[in-house]
Every structure is written in C-alpha cells, then in structure tokens.
Amino acid sequence: MEKINYAKGLEGVIAGESEICKVEGEVGRLNYRGYSVEDLAAHSNFEEVTYLLLFEKLPAFSELADFTASIRKARSLNPEVLEMVRNFPKGAHPMELLQSVISYLSGYVAHRIRHSATCNCRRTLHQVAQIATVVAAWQRLQEGKDPVVPRDDLSHGANFLYMVKGHVPEEDEGRIMDQCLVLHAEHGFNVSTFTARVVASSLSTCYCSISAAMGSLYGSLHGGANEKVMEMVEAIGDPAHAEKWVLEALDRKQKVMGMGHRVYKAKDPRARVIEGYLDTLSRKKNDFRYLRILKEVERVFRARMEEKGKPIYPNVDFFSGAVYRLLGIPTILFTPIFAMARVSGWLAHVLEQRKDNRLFRPKSLYVGPDPRDYVPLGER
Amino acid sequence: MEKINYAKGLEGVIAGESEICKVEGEVGRLNYRGYSVEDLAAHSNFEEVTYLLLFEKLPAFSELADFTASIRKARSLNPEVLEMVRNFPKGAHPMELLQSVISYLSGYVAHRIRHSATCNCRRTLHQVAQIATVVAAWQRLQEGKDPVVPRDDLSHGANFLYMVKGHVPEEDEGRIMDQCLVLHAEHGFNVSTFTARVVASSLSTCYCSISAAMGSLYGSLHGGANEKVMEMVEAIGDPAHAEKWVLEALDRKQKVMGMGHRVYKAKDPRARVIEGYLDTLSRKKNDFRYLRILKEVERVFRARMEEKGKPIYPNVDFFSGAVYRLLGIPTILFTPIFAMARVSGWLAHVLEQRKDNRLFRPKSLYVGPDPRDYVPLGER
C-alpha cells in the first residue's frame, strides 16, 4: 500500500477561523479581542473579561453592572447538584466531578434555547458562576467541613477564596486570584477549546460542549502542569539546591516543568505578570522560598539553554502554582481553577463556532485487516 | 490580508489512522475489523462485537464467556448514580444525563488506571454495561414506575428491553434489539468518535472521553435522525398519502429524513439488514403501517432522484425508528440507544488513540481586531 502522509494530531493544520484571541509567540504577546492580557490583568477583572470574550467588546457601565449581577445571582448550587458533590467518591478528582456537573446542569435549562445555531449561551452563565462553587464545595467536604454559601458582593476570584477558606480574603489577595483567572481565560485552539468547538459543531448544547472540554483539560498533557512545577519545587526544597537539581535533570534529559512552550519563543506574557504577583505575595507573607527556588531554576535553566543556542523561557504554569500556594489553595484545585477561568474562553468559542458552523468530520486512513469470513464460535 | 484557504469542518482532512472499521461508501460495504456487519448481525451478538472491537479479534469460547460475565456483572447502578437519575429534572433529555453519569463513574475507578497511555480501558466496562441501565431507569421514572433491576441471563439487547418494559421480551424481539446494537456499534471518524479521540489525546480518562462523545452525539446534526424519520412517518399517516407528501416535500426542497448519506453512494448495508427486521416485526405484530409508508417514501423518492440522475438510498436511520417503535420503545430513547451501541466503538477508538498518541492541537486563523488600548470603564 502506498504511504499516505497526514499531520498527526492535526499539527499545523488550520481547523477554523477565530476573532477571539491572538497569540504571537515570537514576540511574547497575547491579546483577547485586541486587548493585551497585561492591560486586562492590570485594569479589568474576570467578570468584565468574560463579557469581553462573549460580547466582543468592553461593556459600558450599566452593561457590566447587569452582567456582573446576573453571574453573581447564579452562584448558588441547587440541592440536587450539591447532593452530587456530596456523593462523589472520596479520592476521585474534582475535574471528573466538574465534567459531570456541567452536563447535569444542561438538564436545568429550558428546551427552547438548546440545539439552536443561534441559542444564546450568554443566558446560560450558570456554568461560569457555578464551577467555582462546585470546586470550593468539593474542597470543603474533603476537609470534613460544610460548603460555604457564596456571597454576591465579592469578585469572582475573591468569592472563590472566600468559599474555599471560609473567610473573606484580604483585598489584594482576592484581586490577585481574580487576575489569575483573567490571565487563564482564553488561549486559542488548545485541545480543550478545540474539543468544545467540535462538540458544538454537532449543534449540541453549550453545557454539553463545556463538559466535554473539561474532559480534555483533565488530561495530563493539558491541565496539571503547574501541579508538577510545585512538585519540582518541593523536591528541590531549598534555593541552594536548585542549581544542582536543574543541571542533573538536564543531564538525565528530564523535562523541567513550566519551562518552554510550543508557541512562545519569548517569555510568556502571562508568566511575566504572574511572577509579579508571586513577588507581591512573597513580600506580604514574608515567605520567599518558592520565589527564590523558581528564580534560581529559571536562571540556571536559561543559562544552560542559551549556551546551547536554545533560549527557553518560563511559561504561564511556572509561577502560578506558587501563587496559589501562597493564597492557601490546595494543589488538587489547580486544574479546576484553570477550568473556572477557561470556561469563558470555551463559551466564546462555542458561540463563534455556531455563528458560521460546519460539522467537524475529518477522514481516517484505514490500515486494518482485509475482509475476512466470520468464524463460528465452535470453530475458533 | 491575503485569503488563506483551509478545510472547514476538517472536511477531507485525514486526522488519523485506524484499524477499527472500513466504510466503503461506493459499494455499500461496512466491516468491523475485517468482518462485514451483515455477518456480524446474522451470527454474532453485541457482547461479542464489543470484544472484537476492543481486543481486535473474535473471542474464543472461554474468552467470550468471561467477557460476557464481566459486563453482565457490571450492569447494576450504585445508589449514588441511581440518585442522580432520580433527581434529574423532568423534561430534560436523557443524553444530558448519560453524559453526566459517565464522567461521574470515572470517580469510581481506581486512580492507577487513569491518565496512562497504556491504561487498559477493557477493565472499565461499566460504561458499556451501565448506559443501558441508566437509560432504562430514566424511562421507568418518567412513567412513574420503579427502575427494573437488570438480569444477568439475558443478552445486552434483551436485558435492555426487559428493563424498559418490565417483562422479559420474546426471544426474537430481544435478538432484534441486540442486532440493532451490533449494527450501530461503530462507524469510523464521525463527530462523536472524533470527539472521543481528541479528548483521549490529552491522556484524559476513558470515562471523560466517552462522556465528551455523548455530548456530540446529542447534537442535532449527529444523533436523532431516526426520531425525525418517525415524525415524518406520523405526518404522512397512511401509505396512500406518501407519494403526495414526498413530491410536495421535494418541491419545497425540504429534506426527506433518512435518505442519503455523506459517505454511502449505494444502499447503506445497515439499512438493508434493519429493513429485514422491520419486515419480520411487521408480520409478527400484523402492523404494516410503518413498513408500507417507509417503502412508499423510498420508492417515490428514489424514482424522482433517479430521474434527476442522482440515485439516493435509505441510510441506517430510515428503518430503525420503526423497528424500535414496534419493539415498544419510546422515541426519546432512540438517541440514547445509539449511545448504548456506539460506546463500544468509542472505547475501541480511545484505546487505539492511546497506542500511538499525539495531542490534537490544530491551528486557528486569527481574523479578529488589531491591537487596541484598554479604555477605562468611566470613559466608555
């Protein structure tokens, strides 16, 4: 048989057009609908960025007020969903729970806004609101505590910290949490966003599409890298050990987590901003261990790679785990936090897919057995 | 900006290799791992076909016995999942429930067999077993009846009918149900199977991958066509009205459901087999209304299309709805039945994807706004 070439993993293949986000890896730039993530992290908040992603523009004052109120009103879980959270097996991962809850929520949405190419997902913002509530409730139950009822006078990030920890966070910590959500809200056609678009292309509901995307984010090749960075930090233990650890890892050709990115050939702009948060929190808590270990890993790693003529920079996952740790968040919530943020991007992509939809149906190359006769059970 | 061409919906793009199924649309042939679906429907059963899809060969006697026993043992739902079914909102669609239940089940699987490229999904066959139980339990609850506890001495198809109707079906009816599952078990890279592979490519769990595929199957462009065929049959009402109805539909350029297929340019082999079941059941029940209406629609439609030089044939959905109806199954279960069958194909694709994995990460073409400055809220 003649060898047919194709792009494995669809690498380099254009799967669609998008107006949502522009990643310029060569120069280390990331814009959401034209606005740089640095500007958005500095001046905006997660609710406004969600509006921007879904409505394609920054909201006017009253638009933002209405939108924010509608999301905050939707934060509480209904009793059946809370029951699912309570019943979820101990030791299982909250990403599995999130995937399950999101499609369950689909059942609570009126039929008329399902299955339509023009269905307005903007009215189904329970998802954006409730993912945070589910994650926090799950964590509280793990600790043998009661879930905390959400408040509607806190930002999305601050309310999340409140629900996890049971007390209102200091203002700067709530703001940093919220800004981290801004920085993770969108990043083009990664595998989870692509999943959401593929499911949406069948004209399934936006809940079913987002639920499916959760499944991809749970995959160890997608979410979870910042967890592994923190494992590395724990393994190094002390800034003085970092150089030896990194050089040995490089000698063993072991991957150094959080360094390098398929797209960015300059420093990931999100990493720059999050490094600033880590600096702020380290000063505030007078705990410089994570920051010093990470900076030392970066210094040694980059120096070695530059010697080889391969400049490699930290990516978004390099500093974020340490920020979450200093905010008092358990490691198992890192990927669910990613989901809390990225749901806004996913929804924007679902809407965009529907605006000019074509069912995703690629071809496969058959490489299996030739036709053969069925052999009855007794003759095998 | 220069216009860049790409294949919308990835049409015609090869997204991967597969040994699982060969669809030869030009000649109307469909093989699972080399065996024709006609042979499998005539001589095999759903459990054996599931084995074939997952283990890449027909089982020996003891292999089939062990495999069948392990699936049948897994049919019962645990109380927490049954609670989810009970709590699911009235009027919501069982496909949303299935998507939710499958990722919830992921929480019940030991961590060590997750996330691994070599994780053996064959040991996680709860999914194959329990989808039927969830669907039947949901239906019973809709009718205000208690769910029926599954039996382990019936085939997958016969047990499903038993759980839906509350009595053991006659042998030929159980067999026809089971054969319908065989005929729907696999069909290459359609959108739901592609979804399962995309999610699996992130090294997520097989449950999360199957759950995601459910989301795509729920989409109105994928599952649900046989429901629409039955709506057409009801609208026609009498074989004597079929000719007029079809000709008027063609004049209005209205789509005649269940006719034609993107791939098959000859009669879909599954349609041929299912037409035989409809004939058998019509005789048995002495109810020829569906068969006669459908045959008349086929005759008129094909004659008209042949006049135009466009031969178009019935696809798998054309006769299956009528078969299910004569088996006493409510219309809303048609897509969930598709899911009960296709899960075997999805699992085979998840395993195949992992054997030689590459993360799916296509490119997108940015067509959004140029960089712009953030405008503070007060100045908008």
Side-chain angles (χ1 to χ4, degrees):
Chain A
M1 200 173 70
E2 195 194 349
K3 179 73 189 152
I4 297 174
N5 286 316
Y6 69 95
K8 227 173 137 180
L10 294 171
E11 186 166 345
V13 174
I14 295 175
E17 296 175 28
S18 182
E19 301 181 2
I20 300 171
C21 134
K22 185 169 191 179
V23 186
E24 291 172 284
E26 293 299 331
V27 292
R29 200 151 51 202
L30 171 62
N31 288 358
Y32 299 167
R33 299 205 182 273
Y35 300 103
S36 77
V37 289
E38 291 95 331
D39 276 358
L40 293 170
H43 306 299
S44 186
N45 63 45
F46 181 68
E47 287 152 330
E48 183 174 84
V49 166
T50 299
Y51 186 101
L52 170 67
L53 291 169
L54 297 182
F55 291 85
E56 306 172 25
K57 61 162 195 149
L58 288 173
F61 190 85
S62 65
E63 288 168 332
L64 182 59
D66 289 352
F67 184 75
T68 300
S70 75
I71 292 192
R72 293 185 182 186
K73 215 172 55 190
R75 281 178 177 164
S76 292
L77 305 180
N78 59 42
E80 294 82 2
V81 171
L82 198 54
E83 186 75 8
M84 281 174 68
V85 181
R86 281 189 197 279
N87 283 340
F88 198 58
K90 291 273 172 223
H93 198 281
M95 285 302 293
E96 294 160 305
L97 176 64
L98 281 180
Q99 185 175 15
S100 179
V101 164
I102 294 297
S103 31
Y104 206 78
L105 286 178
S106 193
Y108 288 90
V109 183
H111 268 278
R112 66 189 160 77
I113 58 168
R114 284 188 196 142
H115 276 329
S116 154
T118 57
C119 147
N120 190 343
C121 288
R122 297 163 188 135
R123 281 195 280 155
T124 60
L125 288 165
H126 305 67
Q127 302 180 85
V128 175
Q130 297 193 3
I131 290 170
T133 317
V134 170
V135 173
W138 179 86
Q139 176 58 33
R140 298 284 294 180
L141 290 165
Q142 298 299 301
E143 296 171 9
K145 296 173 186 160
D146 272 333
V148 172
V149 177
R151 286 173 61 140
D152 61 6
D153 58 347
L154 295 172
S155 74
H156 202 62
N159 179 58
F160 174 67
L161 287 179
Y162 167 67
M163 291 189 296
V164 170
K165 312 215 287 184
H167 57 82
V168 175
E170 291 180 38
E171 195 175 334
D172 55 348
E173 298 190 14
R175 171 117 187 99
I176 286 176
M177 184 70 233
D178 204 67
Q179 286 163 315
C180 285
L181 298 179
V182 166
L183 291 166
H184 285 85
E186 165 57 15
H187 207 258
F189 276 28
N190 46 73
V191 67
S192 60
T193 303
F194 182 54
T195 301
R197 290 188 79 121
V198 169
V199 175
S201 83
S202 77
L203 298 185
S204 190
T205 78
C206 56
Y207 291 86
C208 295
S209 307
I210 301 304
S211 167
M214 292 280 178
S216 287
L217 185 58
Y218 183 37
S220 53
L221 293 186
H222 185 16
N226 53 4
E227 286 187 34
K228 298 203 187 87
V229 172
M230 288 311 286
E231 285 167 17
M232 176 182 75
V233 168
E234 303 290 357
I236 293 172
D238 187 293
H241 304 153
E243 177 157 10
K244 182 162 173 282
W245 193 94
V246 171
L247 295 177
E248 285 177 4
L250 286 171
D251 285 347
R252 285 194 306 267
K253 301 201 183 306
Q254 184 185 325
K255 199 166 151 48
V256 174
M257 296 307 298
M259 296 297 295
H261 190 282
R262 215 192 269 197
V263 178
Y264 291 106
K265 305 304 169 208
K267 196 160 178 175
D268 183 331
R270 301 168 297 176
R272 274 200 307 266
V273 177
I274 295 175
E275 183 182 343
Y277 303 156
L278 179 57
D279 192 71
T280 303
L281 288 171
S282 299
R283 285 173 205 282
K284 181 175 175 186
K285 311 269 180 192
N286 197 27
D287 178 354
F288 291 89
R289 198 167 55 106
Y290 303 134
L291 179 64
R292 286 188 185 137
I293 290 174
L294 287 168
K295 291 302 290 180
E296 187 65 4
V297 169
E298 179 184 359
R299 185 189 67 77
V300 176
F301 184 84
R302 283 178 60 178
R304 176 57 70 94
M305 297 316 279
E306 270 158 28
E307 280 168 23
K308 296 187 184 174
K310 289 192 281 190
I312 293 186
Y313 302 89
N315 62 41
V316 67
D317 299 310
F318 193 68
F319 296 108
S320 62
V323 166
Y324 298 151
R325 186 67 61 84
L326 289 180
L327 289 172
I329 299 171
T331 309
I332 196 164
L333 301 191
F334 291 1
T335 304
I337 288 171
F338 193 165
M340 278 167 53
R342 187 57 57 85
V343 63
S344 299
W346 290 332
L347 276 173
H349 280 277
V350 167
L351 291 173
E352 186 174 70
Q353 178 66 34
R354 287 174 175 177
K355 271 205 301 198
D356 182 27
N357 188 52
R358 178 73 154 270
L359 184 71
F360 279 100
R361 206 201 186 293
K363 291 200 305 180
S364 64
L365 187 62
Y366 183 70
V367 293
D370 287 332
R372 43 185 170 170
D373 289 334
Y374 184 83
V375 183
L377 188 56
E379 295 169 26
R380 284 176 210 154
Chain B
M1 200 174 72
E2 195 195 351
K3 180 73 189 152
I4 297 173
N5 286 316
Y6 68 95
K8 226 174 138 181
L10 294 171
E11 187 167 345
V13 174
I14 295 176
E17 296 175 28
S18 182
E19 300 181 2
I20 300 171
C21 132
K22 186 169 192 178
V23 186
E24 292 172 283
E26 293 300 330
V27 292
R29 199 151 51 200
L30 171 61
N31 288 357
Y32 300 166
R33 298 204 182 274
Y35 300 103
S36 77
V37 289
E38 290 96 330
D39 276 358
L40 293 171
H43 306 298
S44 186
N45 62 46
F46 181 68
E47 288 151 330
E48 181 174 87
V49 165
T50 299
Y51 186 100
L52 170 67
L53 290 169
L54 297 183
F55 291 85
E56 306 171 25
K57 61 163 196 148
L58 288 172
F61 190 85
S62 65
E63 289 167 331
L64 181 60
D66 289 350
F67 183 75
T68 300
S70 75
I71 292 193
R72 293 185 181 186
K73 214 171 55 188
R75 281 177 178 165
S76 291
L77 305 180
N78 57 43
E80 293 83 4
V81 171
L82 198 53
E83 188 73 7
M84 280 173 69
V85 181
R86 282 188 197 279
N87 284 340
F88 198 58
K90 291 272 174 226
H93 197 281
M95 285 303 292
E96 295 160 304
L97 176 63
L98 280 181
Q99 185 175 15
S100 181
V101 163
I102 292 297
S103 30
Y104 206 78
L105 286 177
S106 193
Y108 287 90
V109 183
H111 268 278
R112 67 190 159 74
I113 57 168
R114 284 188 197 143
H115 275 329
S116 154
T118 57
C119 146
N120 191 343
C121 289
R122 296 163 189 134
R123 282 194 280 154
T124 59
L125 289 164
H126 304 69
Q127 301 180 85
V128 176
Q130 296 193 4
I131 291 170
T133 317
V134 170
V135 173
W138 179 86
Q139 176 57 33
R140 297 285 293 182
L141 290 165
Q142 298 300 300
E143 297 171 8
K145 297 174 186 161
D146 272 332
V148 173
V149 176
R151 286 172 61 141
D152 61 5
D153 58 346
L154 295 172
S155 74
H156 203 63
N159 179 59
F160 174 68
L161 286 179
Y162 166 67
M163 291 188 297
V164 169
K165 313 216 285 183
H167 57 81
V168 175
E170 291 181 39
E171 195 174 333
D172 54 350
E173 297 191 14
R175 172 122 186 93
I176 285 176
M177 184 70 233
D178 204 67
Q179 287 163 314
C180 285
L181 299 179
V182 166
L183 292 166
H184 286 84
E186 164 57 15
H187 206 258
F189 276 28
N190 46 73
V191 67
S192 61
T193 303
F194 182 54
T195 301
R197 290 188 79 122
V198 169
V199 176
S201 83
S202 76
L203 298 185
S204 191
T205 78
C206 56
Y207 290 87
C208 295
S209 307
I210 301 305
S211 167
M214 291 281 177
S216 287
L217 185 58
Y218 183 38
S220 53
L221 293 185
H222 186 13
N226 52 4
E227 286 187 37
K228 298 203 186 85
V229 172
M230 288 312 287
E231 286 168 18
M232 175 183 75
V233 168
E234 302 292 356
I236 293 172
D238 188 293
H241 305 152
E243 178 157 12
K244 183 161 171 285
W245 193 95
V246 171
L247 295 178
E248 285 176 4
L250 286 171
D251 285 346
R252 284 194 307 266
K253 302 201 181 304
Q254 184 186 325
K255 198 168 153 50
V256 175
M257 295 308 297
M259 297 298 293
H261 190 281
R262 216 193 268 198
V263 178
Y264 291 106
K265 304 304 167 207
K267 196 160 179 174
D268 183 331
R270 300 167 297 175
R272 274 201 306 267
V273 177
I274 295 176
E275 182 181 347
Y277 303 157
L278 180 56
D279 191 74
T280 302
L281 287 171
S282 299
R283 285 172 204 281
K284 181 174 176 188
K285 311 270 180 191
N286 197 26
D287 178 354
F288 291 89
R289 196 167 56 106
Y290 303 133
L291 179 64
R292 284 186 186 140
I293 291 174
L294 286 167
K295 292 301 291 177
E296 187 66 3
V297 169
E298 180 185 358
R299 184 189 67 76
V300 176
F301 184 84
R302 284 178 60 177
R304 175 58 70 95
M305 297 316 279
E306 271 159 27
E307 280 168 22
K308 296 186 185 177
K310 291 192 281 190
I312 293 186
Y313 302 88
N315 62 42
V316 66
D317 299 310
F318 192 70
F319 296 108
S320 61
V323 166
Y324 298 151
R325 185 67 62 84
L326 288 181
L327 289 172
I329 299 171
T331 309
I332 196 163
L333 301 191
F334 291 2
T335 304
I337 289 171
F338 193 166
M340 277 167 54
R342 187 56 59 83
V343 63
S344 299
W346 290 333
L347 275 174
H349 280 276
V350 167
L351 291 172
E352 187 175 69
Q353 178 66 34
R354 287 176 175 174
K355 270 204 303 199
D356 182 26
N357 188 52
R358 177 73 154 270
L359 184 70
F360 279 100
R361 205 199 188 295
K363 290 201 305 181
S364 64
L365 187 62
Y366 182 70
V367 292
D370 288 332
R372 43 184 169 170
D373 289 333
Y374 183 83
V375 183
L377 187 56
E379 296 170 27
R380 284 177 211 154

